[in-house]
Amino acid sequence: MRTSEELALSYVLISRSSLCACAYCRLRRGFEKQAQPAPSSALVVPSTIGSCNAEWSVPKSRCGDVATQQQVEQHISSNGDMAVVLYLHGGGYYMGSPRTHRRIVGHIALNADCAVLALDYRLAPEHPFPAALDDAASAFRYLVRELSIDPSRIFIAGDSAGGGLSLALAATLRYAMQQASQPRHGLVDSTEAWRDTAATRTSSCLLAPYC
């Protein structure tokens, strides 16, 4: 089964769940309460990418203690050696946010000395497939078109459901670039990706070119 089809199936399973809207709200609130702060050396900047909220996380050694979205993005655009990670959070496609993943995203930014964009993509069941995939693809296009970041500098990453979404995005980008006969670059990393919705295989950490 192709990655996009697996992602679609997971959304169908969520939409058919017997959980009511209130139950989803309670699960989301509980997940948010477990959120841990970003490392003190990482700067978290609330941002807006198209119609989605997001957060940039960058080392303070790069941008100082205070910065706006515009300042962070200008710094990234003007530093051609700085890698950019598009991070897609886990949470079963129905919960989670950049806030719940600030700690891991901050550590990625610090350990890799890079800028990490954590996207608050739309969640199921209110927003069925392919809403989250569309949001992720729009964020990638924003990095390339609006910030003029070469695709070879962009690393797509995610955990659990976000890892599955990362793989789906990689497949989508690969197909689009093949159709346009564009050069293909970049890497995708999915940690414990939820891509086997039938639970027939063991999840794993994948690091591979997305194009």
Side-chain angles (χ1 to χ4, degrees), residues 85 154-158 163 166-167 170 186-193 204-211:
V85 175
I154 303 174
F155 189 92
I156 304 169
S166 298
L167 296 177
L187 291 171
V188 58
D189 174 54
S190 59
T191 303
E192 291 300 320
S204 62
C205 180
L206 172 70
L207 175 62
Y210 63 69
C211 318

Side-chain angles (χ1 to χ4, degrees), residues 55 86 91 122 145 167-168 193-194:
E55 289 182 352
L86 174 57
R122 287 173 291 175
R145 297 174 183 176
L167 296 177
W194 182 26

